[in-house]
């Protein structure tokens, strides 16, 4: 339980710069296998899901509350490849970033 809480705190503070599950495990001084086991055991989802969830949640906030372009948002969130970010957003949110903005900012 404490590991999950530490992971969530670490994630909230670093999701713009740390994208890999193994980097979080390293910062917590535990193996990736163990981190995934604990997080998935408590939440039902692996570490990578929570990383992507936090990134997409922040992207949605930026799409709704700012006029930044999708490309600018991808760079703001620490992605050097905006097309990768766009694919991740679409896969996770079920719609493209542009379509999300169009729907929710009417």
């Amino acid at each position: 339980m404490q590991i999950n809480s530490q992971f969530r705190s670490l994630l909230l503070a670093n999701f713009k710069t740390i994208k890999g599950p193994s980097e979080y495990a390293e910062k917590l001084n535990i193996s990736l296998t163990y981190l995934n086991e604990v997080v998935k055991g408590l939440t039902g989802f692996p570490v990578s899901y929570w990383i992507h969830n936090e990134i997409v949640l922040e992207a949605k906030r930026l799409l709704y509350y700012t006029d930044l372009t999708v490309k600018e948002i991808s760079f703001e969130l620490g992605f050097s490849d905006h097309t990768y970010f766009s694919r991740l957003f679409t896969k996770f949110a079920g719609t493209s970033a542009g379509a999300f903005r169009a729907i929710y900012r009417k």
Side-chain angles (χ1 to χ4, degrees):
M1 191 106 123
Q2 185 179 4
I3 289 173
N4 185 55
S5 165
Q6 289 173 327
F7 163 67
R8 297 288 292 159
S9 296
L10 198 58
L11 175 62
L12 291 173
N14 297 287
F15 71 92
K16 290 183 181 180
T17 54
I18 301 176
K19 304 284 188 261
S22 60
E23 294 171 90
Y24 286 98
E26 189 177 309
K27 287 206 173 285
L28 292 168
N29 293 315
I30 57 175
S31 72
L32 175 56
T33 305
Y34 184 61
L35 178 59
N36 254 326
E37 184 180 304
V38 170
V39 171
K40 192 170 184 178
L42 287 169
T43 67
F45 296 100
V47 171
S48 58
Y49 168 87
W50 292 110
I51 296 168
H52 295 153
N53 184 63
E54 202 55 47
I55 290 165
V56 171
L57 186 60
E58 183 63 16
K60 286 179 176 179
R61 283 188 200 108
L62 293 171
L63 286 163
Y64 188 83
Y65 292 110
T66 73
D67 290 323
L68 295 173
T69 66
V70 173
K71 190 174 188 177
E72 290 169 331
I73 289 171
S74 73
F75 293 140
E76 172 75 21
L77 294 175
F79 289 87
S80 56
D81 180 358
H82 68 91
T83 56
Y84 174 76
F85 165 76
S86 293
R87 286 193 309 272
L88 174 73
F89 186 95
T90 301
K91 180 180 177 186
F92 210 84
T95 185
S96 71
F100 175 87
R101 176 176 271 164
I103 292 166
Y104 291 100
R105 285 184 71 182
K106 285 183 180 176

